[in-house]
Amino acid sequence: MDDTDPFSDLEPGEKQRLFELGAAEVRGETAEAGWRMYQEFETPVGVRRYTNVRTLDDGRVQAREYRVARNDPQTIFDLEMDRYLLDNGIIHELEWITAE
């Protein structure tokens, strides 16, 4: 077994994009299932952009956040915006998916 990381030569942004696309595909979060990539929502402290979002027939919004780097400085800020969007009924279901 080769222990070489086939993704080691990629830039962090490229790794993130591959993770988002691959994980969303595996989880069935496709355009055919009503998912859109990179939808933005306004909050009092800034714009929150989610990796995948879909609106159900009853108007409820589901959001998914895919992250390769779990400890970047943006994470705490994003979680604060998530709380606002959830508390105010803008987002009804939110799931963070991180690379292991």
Side-chain angles (χ1 to χ4, degrees):
M1 181 166 130
D2 186 1
D3 289 333
T4 304
D5 178 0
F7 303 105
S8 62
D9 292 338
L10 297 176
E11 295 295 320
E14 292 173 307
K15 286 183 184 182
Q16 177 69 33
R17 181 80 171 133
L18 284 174
F19 175 66
E20 291 169 354
L21 292 171
E25 179 76 24
V26 166
R27 294 170 52 89
E29 295 172 7
T30 63
E32 295 79 25
W35 291 93
R36 298 176 29 165
M37 290 192 84
Y38 307 125
Q39 187 169 340
E40 296 180 343
F41 296 87
E42 291 287 333
T43 75
V45 294
V47 174
R48 178 66 169 102
R49 184 174 114 171
Y50 292 104
T51 308
N52 279 343
V53 174
R54 81 171 163 182
T55 302
L56 302 175
D57 291 337
D58 63 5
R60 291 181 303 121
V61 176
Q62 296 176 311
R64 302 291 184 264
E65 179 64 21
Y66 288 86
R67 289 282 171 100
V68 171
R70 291 177 280 191
N71 295 321
D72 66 39
Q74 185 67 36
T75 299
I76 297 299
F77 189 58
D78 286 344
L79 288 169
E80 291 172 2
M81 290 188 284
D82 291 346
R83 176 55 44 210
Y84 171 84
L85 293 167
L86 288 163
D87 287 349
N88 288 281
I90 299 164
I91 299 293
H92 299 87
E93 177 188 312
L94 172 61
E95 185 176 1
W96 278 57
I97 297 93
T98 58
E100 297 273 340

